[in-house]
Amino acid sequence: MPTWFIADTHFGKQPGGRCKWSGMSAGELDTLIEANWRDRVAENDVIWHLGDIGPDWRRLATLPGVKHLILGNDDKKDKEERAEIEASRIFETVRNRHRLEVDGGSLFLIHIPAEAKRKPAHEVIHGHLHHLPSVPGHRSVSVDRTGWAPQRLEELLTRRS
């Protein structure tokens, strides 16, 4: 079954800068991200969301895939909401970071790339930077960098940054 990655969906409250540079409203971005998710991800596919799901995170329950969440900085702000997210059963797992074993090595999944070791022994997959470029050895899966869609593992590993 395919494995997918996405970050920074910000469902329900898109960053103002994102709306400005994309030329889309917050509602249009939410709809586009959700439609792209549905077009790509099948019900039994695994999808890792690398943080900043947004205040309308409950809409993820209607999206396909077996979901895992790496908490983002916005997901950690409200302790009650974090407890709700963890109890919701929308996500199979909810973590701050995770090492994912894949063919040929391992990936370190985290939201904020600066919180990864300076010289990790594996590729760092992250969100948080939105449209800004990643440093070598790091790959962003922020929707700003992936065409507003989840990115398949094989696509991610062949992308330059």
Side-chain angles (χ1 to χ4, degrees):
M1 82 189 82
T3 300
W4 299 87
F5 300 88
I6 194 167
D8 302 303
T9 53
H10 290 281
F11 286 126
K13 189 175 182 194
Q14 295 294 330
R18 176 184 279 175
C19 294
K20 185 174 182 176
W21 75 261
S22 72
M24 291 183 265
S25 71
E28 290 170 327
L29 283 165
D30 284 352
T31 299
L32 177 61
I33 294 165
E34 187 173 337
N36 287 339
W37 184 313
R38 288 184 190 286
D39 285 346
R40 289 179 164 223
V41 180
E43 204 58 45
N44 292 319
D45 291 355
V46 173
I47 184 156
W48 287 89
H49 194 304
L50 304 190
D52 286 0
I53 50 183
D56 193 11
W57 56 268
R58 288 170 189 82
R59 79 189 305 156
L60 290 159
T62 68
L63 295 175
V66 177
K67 300 166 201 79
H68 298 270
L69 176 62
I70 301 298
L71 292 162
N73 55 300
D74 287 345
D75 307 323
K76 297 177 185 177
K77 289 180 179 175
D78 184 328
K79 290 186 187 299
E80 287 179 25
E81 187 168 44
R82 178 180 174 168
E84 259 187 79
I85 291 167
E86 291 175 345
S88 73
R89 298 188 179 229
I90 292 172
F91 300 98
E92 292 290 313
T93 61
V94 177
R95 301 177 175 151
N96 290 319
R97 58 185 47 85
H98 180 68
R99 192 174 89 191
L100 179 66
E101 297 299 326
V102 297
D103 289 342
S106 60
L107 305 174
F108 185 69
L109 311 179
I110 196 161
H111 179 67
I112 299 175
E115 293 177 359
K117 291 181 181 177
R118 287 254 186 248
K119 293 185 178 184
H122 33 264
E123 193 83 20
V124 175
I125 311 301
H126 65 86
H128 189 64
L129 297 182
H130 293 262
H131 64 282
L132 299 174
S134 298
V135 300
H138 292 204
R139 294 175 198 257
S140 173
V141 292
S142 178
V143 293
D144 309 72
R145 301 286 310 272
T146 63
W148 313 109
Q151 191 164 49
R152 195 171 174 159
L153 174 63
E154 294 78 10
E155 294 173 306
L156 176 65
L157 295 179
T158 58
R159 204 179 82 204
R160 293 188 79 194
S161 67

